């Protein structure tokens, strides 16, 4: 459920009409609903409340690292799953306590490991044997002990887009299932590491529970055999990946309650604390990208609706052929078929082709729905387009939580080499 509803013919976010925010802040901009993200955090937690041990629900910061989002979710009781030193610092700054932070990723550097050790995070999810060796050396040099799990690659096809699948043996992620025993034996003998768990994450936007269940089943088997080999396994991190509805015409992905029931069934008797790393599920439907139509241009078949948002603001359609619902903020009731494109000089700067949508013209506001996850966080400045601002709504209050980047700031970030700077004088 989300809090983007029509009232008197105008789309509102909670109690705030979107045109009011657009008029004050300009477009394009991201708008987030506090109530939606808090509700999703609660629904996910409730889906897991039958587990024998209270789980750690660590929001995948990469999905939306805005400080206001992280602070909202920290207050709602979520921890953080981070994949860089930057994300770690963002989570800590937003009020996530370090003992609720897990650190994933194949390329953690020694500096990032030291930062996380000094903060005292809950767990490092190691993705390879050389990473275990590096962490051991860093921990010893700091006089610390690093709590670790290995992320296991279960060789399961997540059935999602190839660019967001991570659990097949050919993917770069995790330690191969067949090598797991050897990796744990090696880590046990390394100083400065305390082996405490296992981790798995097979991909994102999963719309079927079967691959998750298959992966978790394999992890259950591994926990047993690791214990038989004398390892202490107290934690199992089951990752994120549950999909959200993007296209209202398609069957919705499994509900968190169905996911929770499956997890309870598959993990019964594991005797571990479970960790979850949901990202998209928490924030996906809590955000829209608001854009204004610049002009409508005739095409061969359908018109091109040229909007002031572009691929640099929302990469998902050009990167993954992702489908986002596009709705008029003040729809007339008429519909037409159109192509929706941005101003960037690439044909890939296309949000929708042959889309049956609300009829729209110059100056109209459009909302790209389900843009709260992997939206602003993946934005760039291609074509010298400044980063998009972000606004957070709560009830009838709203606030800018990231200001529009001034073009001057973008230009000032570069500097000239001395030989060119001199010429300029
Ligand atoms: N844990 C790990 C280790 C991950 O790599 C990810 C996402 C998550 C958790 C969170 O997954 P979620 O619950 O959000 O599905 N940019 C792509 C998605 C990339 C996902 C990367 N990893 C997109 O826009 O679809």
């Amino acid at each position: 459920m989300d809090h983007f509803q029509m009232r008197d013919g105008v789309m509102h976010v909670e109690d705030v009409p979107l045109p009011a925010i657009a008029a004050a802040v300009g477009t394009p901009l991201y708008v987030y609903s506090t109530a939606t993200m808090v509700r999703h955090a609660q629904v996910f937690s409730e889906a897991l409340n039958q587990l024998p041990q209270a789980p750690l629900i660590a929001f995948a910061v990469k999905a939306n690292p805005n400080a206001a989002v992280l602070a909202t979710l920290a207050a709602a009781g979520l921890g953080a799953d981070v994949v860089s030193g930057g994300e770690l610092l963002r989570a800590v700054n937003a009020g996530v306590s370090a003992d609720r932070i897990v650190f994933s990723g194949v390329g953690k550097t020694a500096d990032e490991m030291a930062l996380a050790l000094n903060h005292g995070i809950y767990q490092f999810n190691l993705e390879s044997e050389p990473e275990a060796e590096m962490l051991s050396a860093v921990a010893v040099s700091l006089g610390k002990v690093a709590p670790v799990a290995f992320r296991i690659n279960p060789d399961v096809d997540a059935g999602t887009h190839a660019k967001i699948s991570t659990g097949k043996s050919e993917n770069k992620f995790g330690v191969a299932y067949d090598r797991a025993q050897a990796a744990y034996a090696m880590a046990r003998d390394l100083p400065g590491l305390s082996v405490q768990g296992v981790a798995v994450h097979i991909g994102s936007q999963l719309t079927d529970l079967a691959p998750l269940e298959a992966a978790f089943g394999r992890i259950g088997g591994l926990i047993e055999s690791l214990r038989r080999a004398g390892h202490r396994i107290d934690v199992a991190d089951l990752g994120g990946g549950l999909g959200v509805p993007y296209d209202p015409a398609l069957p919705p992905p499994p509900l968190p309650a169905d996911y929770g029931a499956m997890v309870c069934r598959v993990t019964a008797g594991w005797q571990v604390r479970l960790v979850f790393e949901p990202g998209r599920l928490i924030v996906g439907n809590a955000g829209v990208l608001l854009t204004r139509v610049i002009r409508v241009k005739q095409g061969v078949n359908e018109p091109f609706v040229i909007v002031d948002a572009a691929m640099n603001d929302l990469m998902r359609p050009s990167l993954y052929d992702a489908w986002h619902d596009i709705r008029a903020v003040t729809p007339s009731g008429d519909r037409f078929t159109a192509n929706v494109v941005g101003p960037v000089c690439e044909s890939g700067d296309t949000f929708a082709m042959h889309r049956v949508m609300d009829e729209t013209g110059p100056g109209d506001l459009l909302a790209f729905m389900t843009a709260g996850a992997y939206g602003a966080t993946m934005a760039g400045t291609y074509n010298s387009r400044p980063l998009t601002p972000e606004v957070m709504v709560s009830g009838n209050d709203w606030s800018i939580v990231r200001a529009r980047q001034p073009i001057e700031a973008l230009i000032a970030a570069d500097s000239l080499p001395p030989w060119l700077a001199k010429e300029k004088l």
Side-chain angles (χ1 to χ4, degrees):
M1 141 168 209
D2 65 46
H3 295 75
F4 298 80
Q5 310 293 342
M6 299 302 292
R7 272 194 220 164
D8 302 325
V10 181
M11 193 186 296
H12 283 59
V13 181
E14 303 189 25
D15 297 327
V16 182
L18 277 173
I21 306 178
V25 185
T27 52
L29 87 155
Y30 281 93
V31 183
Y32 306 131
S33 157
T34 302
T36 306
M37 53 184 87
V38 170
R39 161 128 185 101
H40 290 174
Q42 275 166 359
V43 166
F44 194 77
S45 311
E46 279 161 19
L48 298 164
N49 65 10
Q50 298 300 318
L51 290 171
Q53 279 189 57
L56 168 60
I57 301 174
F59 172 63
V61 171
K62 64 173 82 70
N64 192 326
N66 186 286
V69 171
L70 299 184
T72 301
L73 296 177
L78 269 50
D81 162 46
V82 303
V83 292
S84 69
E87 285 192 353
L88 174 68
L89 291 174
R90 275 180 180 268
V92 170
N93 283 344
V96 182
S97 70
D99 62 1
R100 299 177 69 73
I101 295 181
V102 295
F103 195 166
S104 310
V106 294
K108 302 177 198 76
T109 64
D111 283 350
E112 288 175 321
M113 290 172 176
L115 181 74
L117 281 165
N118 284 329
H119 275 93
I121 66 163
Y122 181 67
Q123 180 167 289
F124 291 82
N125 289 344
L126 300 174
E127 303 226 13
S128 65
E129 297 86 339
E131 188 191 342
E133 283 168 350
M134 181 188 271
L135 181 59
S136 162
V138 175
V140 168
S141 76
L142 295 173
K144 307 259 184 202
V145 174
V148 301
F150 276 106
R151 174 172 174 182
I152 303 303
N153 186 323
D155 195 18
V156 166
D157 187 350
T160 184
H161 191 284
K163 283 188 185 158
I164 51 176
S165 282
T166 56
K168 284 291 288 169
S169 55
E170 63 265 29
N171 297 137
K172 70 178 175 180
F173 297 98
V175 172
Y177 193 88
D178 304 344
R179 285 210 323 271
Q181 287 288 353
Y184 276 85
M186 171 218 171
R188 177 167 49 193
D189 293 340
L190 287 174
L193 299 189
S194 165
V195 176
Q196 66 177 28
V198 292
V200 67
H201 170 81
I202 59 168
S204 197
Q205 186 54 18
L206 271 73
T207 52
D208 182 4
L209 293 180
L212 289 165
E213 182 163 353
F216 300 165
R218 298 208 81 188
I219 294 301
L222 181 65
I223 292 174
E224 264 177 43
S225 58
L226 288 172
R227 284 181 175 150
R228 274 200 300 276
H231 298 285
R232 210 194 74 211
I233 303 294
D234 296 330
V235 179
D237 182 337
L238 300 183
L242 194 55
V244 301
Y246 281 93
D247 184 346
L250 294 180
L255 292 172
D258 302 330
Y259 172 85
M262 181 274 283
V263 166
C264 286
R265 180 164 44 76
V266 176
T267 65
W270 282 17
Q271 289 175 307
V272 290
R273 182 186 194 196
L274 293 178
V275 179
F276 298 90
E277 304 170 353
R280 192 189 314 264
L281 187 80
I282 307 295
V283 292
N285 280 312
V288 295
L289 173 60
L290 197 57
T291 185
R292 206 177 278 283
V293 177
I294 300 173
R295 65 181 60 88
V296 178
K297 173 181 159 168
Q298 196 188 329
V300 177
N301 297 313
E302 295 106 9
F304 286 100
V305 175
I306 304 169
V307 296
D308 65 3
M311 63 191 284
N312 69 295
D313 304 303
L314 179 65
M315 298 267 284
R316 303 194 68 259
S318 51
L319 211 49
Y320 320 112
D321 297 317
W323 195 100
H324 284 262
D325 199 8
I326 302 176
R327 298 192 204 155
V329 169
T330 51
S332 65
D334 294 329
R335 308 274 288 172
F336 74 159
T337 304
N339 306 316
V340 181
V341 300
V344 159
C345 299
E346 291 204 28
S347 294
D349 185 23
T350 297
F351 292 113
M353 291 296 282
H354 321 299
R355 180 69 66 92
V356 180
M357 57 181 283
D358 296 323
E359 182 155 21
T360 189
D364 288 350
L365 285 172
L366 297 178
F368 289 30
M369 309 306 291
T370 320
Y374 307 110
T377 178
M378 292 176 70
T381 60
Y382 187 41
N383 278 208
S384 291
R385 296 169 49 86
L387 290 175
T388 328
E390 293 164 81
V391 159
M392 182 84 119
V393 174
S394 178
N396 52 22
D397 263 355
W398 64 272
S399 178
I400 295 176
V401 295
R402 188 171 72 191
R404 186 178 304 281
Q405 183 181 37
I407 183 62
E408 293 76 16
L410 193 57
I411 294 171
D414 297 351
S415 50
L416 291 175
W419 60 93
L420 289 176
K422 246 188 278 153
E423 257 173 37
K424 228 184 149 189
L425 282 176

